[in-house]
Amino acid sequence: MINLHSRWMDLRRLDELAANDTEIHRLNPCTKIVTTAIFLIVVASFSKYELISLFPLFLYPLTLMNRAALPFSVIAKRVFATMPFVLFIGIFNPLLDHTPGFQVGPFLISNGWISFFSILLRFILAVTSALILVATTGMDKIGSALLRMHVPKMFVIQLMFMYRYLYVLLDELSRTLLAYSLRSFNETGLPFRVWGPMLGQLLLRTIDRAQRIYQAMLCRGFSGEVRLLRYNALAKKDIAYCLGWSAFFLAARIYNIPQWLGALLIGRY
Amino acid sequence: MSHHIIEIKDIEYMYPDKTKALDGLSLRILHGEAVAIVGANGAGKSTLLSHLIGVLIPSSGTVRIGDYPLNKETLTHIRRSVGMVFQNSDDQLFMPTVFDDVAFGPLNMGLPPEEATQRALDALKTVDAVHLKDRPPYKLSGGQKRSVAIASVLSMLPDILVMDEPSAGLDPYCRRQLITLLQSFKHTKIIATHDLDLVIDLCERTVVLSNGKIIADGPTLQIFNDDVLLQKGRLEKPLRMQGCPICKPAIR
């Protein structure tokens, strides 16, 4: 449990990475948001049983991680942390859908399993691209870009505060758990009976602390506008970036690139 | 510079759980004065400070800062002239880097980015923290956090500085640096603290609070010499004014 504190420090890595300065970081935030959105739409638009044709899309997150110097482990760790959700979403497919899909040697793979892995892949693609967006842009810039794109201010502020207070909540949680673990001997994990009081405490303390932070922001003139020191204006390279990737996403959506590559190999040799 | 007189008249404040935190309190602070607010825990110090920046609005009575009465319409103006340094620096520093945090105020005041950058740099220079500018605030030490928190307020060029426990949690060296720094400021200063030795160094006037009321208001040394009053306010003579038990042991 004591480990939680270091985990929480680790959580903020995304913000630290966002302060880096690479060619991807320097792109206009609007460009990155739009490109990510197109990517997500394309990923979601594949049919339920699509598996192989999803693979070329991994080029996008991998290229970005490479160009923006994002450590693979930081992103991978966060994707794994969200994995339980998708397992619950997809786990019933193999149980309910037994129609035969294709055969690998003696094994018959049912469509249920194919759709399960399809969901898994799409989930990894989506979460990775969203994490990359945050790690290369930073939440404050995303907020200001959304405002520029005329997203209603109320939504943007909700989003920014949620992100900010998430840290506050985790910070409080790590301290509460530490205090608990220091006075509970030989206990592993949190017994069920203390969950109620602890969550209640946590909620109240977080609300208090969130209130104080909000007051501190108000004291320094916060009025809901997100103002930034640096704003990267839309340049030609931004448009090229967005159009280039979009073209690739569409190509990957329309043509089954792995099949085509395979045919090319078989056809030639 | 306009003369920023702070005038508090008969304010009362009751928390939603019906605890009366301030009980008919009146206070007048002149331009350029340095005033210490001292008193026991729960005497109402922080509540009083919260009224000066409009974080809390009194249930009855009035607060005037300079030419403006404090109300919803004047709040923006008042918050520009009153800079508040919070008790817990972690509450005050919320941006991803120190520099962004210090520039947050000036940008919200509508200054163009170049000017906000300059202001932030100047403020960081004043507190001797320019080298920290690209660090994330939550990774700084307690003393560094306090310096940055002060810079984040200074960058807005306030006329009045309000501080809640500025020396709490600082090591002796950082505390001394803070005192030297604050001595160099020409602002009107209002400091709520338990550190009475700091008060001797910084404030010529002291206000003693007890149960939401002012029980004494006068020159610092005069108040600290009044043993009965100190006891009533649940305070103790500053260490510097007590005889040294090692050099001059009390005669039994």
Side-chain angles (χ1 to χ4, degrees), chain A residues 22 75-76 122 244:
Chain A
T22 68
I75 303 289
R122 277 188 266 182

Side-chain angles (χ1 to χ4, degrees), chain A residues 4-92:
Chain A
L4 206 89
H5 186 72
S6 59
R7 293 261 173 81
W8 128 253
M9 288 306 258
D10 186 55
L11 251 177
R12 309 203 68 161
R13 274 300 292 282
L14 236 42
D15 284 344
E16 284 167 41
L17 289 172
N20 283 353
D21 194 25
T22 68
E23 52 183 338
I24 304 291
H25 285 81
R26 279 193 294 271
L27 287 170
N28 180 294
C30 295
T31 317
K32 283 184 270 187
I33 293 175
V34 171
T35 313
T36 309
I38 295 175
F39 180 73
L40 292 179
I41 292 168
V42 169
V43 168
S45 73
F46 275 94
S47 85
K48 192 173 155 189
Y49 299 117
E50 212 67 66
L51 202 57
I52 306 298
S53 52
L54 280 168
F55 280 100
L57 288 174
F58 275 98
L59 187 68
Y60 170 69
L62 290 176
T63 314
L64 255 59
M65 272 195 257
N66 180 274
R67 304 305 297 172
L70 301 179
F72 182 75
S73 62
V74 175
I75 303 289
K77 222 190 277 175
R78 284 162 178 73
V79 174
F80 275 114
T82 45
M83 213 56 117
F85 295 102
V86 75
L87 289 181
F88 276 111
I89 294 169
I91 199 66
F92 289 108

Side-chain angles (χ1 to χ4, degrees), chain B residues 50-229:
Chain B
S50 301
H51 279 82
L52 295 177
I53 40 166
V55 165
L56 297 176
I57 303 286
S59 326
S60 69
T62 54
V63 178
R64 279 185 83 89
I65 312 266
D67 305 322
Y68 297 88
L70 196 150
N71 56 38
K72 284 213 164 72
E73 285 78 45
T74 57
L75 213 52
T76 334
H77 182 88
I78 283 174
R79 283 179 176 161
R80 277 184 183 199
S81 58
V82 184
M84 168 93 175
V85 179
F86 281 65
Q87 185 168 0
N88 184 351
S89 307
D90 283 321
D91 292 340
Q92 192 161 359
L93 306 171
F94 41 75
M95 297 294 279
T97 70
V98 165
F99 195 79
D100 285 338
D101 217 300
V102 180
F104 182 85
L107 282 174
N108 278 326
M109 289 164 76
L111 293 178
E114 308 80 57
E115 201 160 324
T117 307
Q118 192 54 48
R119 285 250 195 128
L121 270 180
D122 289 345
L124 282 171
K125 224 177 272 169
T126 313
V127 301
D128 198 18
V130 182
H131 59 289
L132 301 174
K133 75 182 173 62
D134 296 320
R135 301 265 303 272
Y138 53 90
K139 282 200 173 168
L140 303 181
S141 74
Q144 290 170 331
K145 276 185 197 169
R146 194 59 50 91
S147 302
V148 173
I150 293 173
S152 72
V153 167
L154 286 183
S155 63
M156 297 173 74
L157 302 182
D159 302 300
I160 300 163
L161 271 183
V162 177
M163 304 194 170
D164 199 353
E165 296 283 6
S167 64
L170 297 187
D171 64 41
Y173 178 78
C174 289
R175 176 179 168 278
R176 186 53 57 193
Q177 273 190 323
L178 174 82
I179 293 175
T180 321
L181 177 70
L182 293 181
Q183 272 170 339
S184 69
F185 291 167
K186 298 282 170 270
H187 308 77
T188 305
K189 290 186 278 272
I190 300 166
I191 303 173
T193 184
H194 291 301
D195 184 349
L196 301 190
D197 283 283
L198 170 132
V199 174
I200 297 181
D201 285 328
L202 288 175
C203 307
E204 62 270 20
R205 178 177 164 197
T206 297
V207 173
V208 186
L209 287 189
S210 175
N211 294 325
K213 287 194 184 90
I214 294 182
I215 57 167
D217 179 358
T220 298
L221 290 179
Q222 194 183 318
I223 284 181
F224 288 170
N225 270 317
D226 187 340
D227 290 327
V228 181
L229 173 67

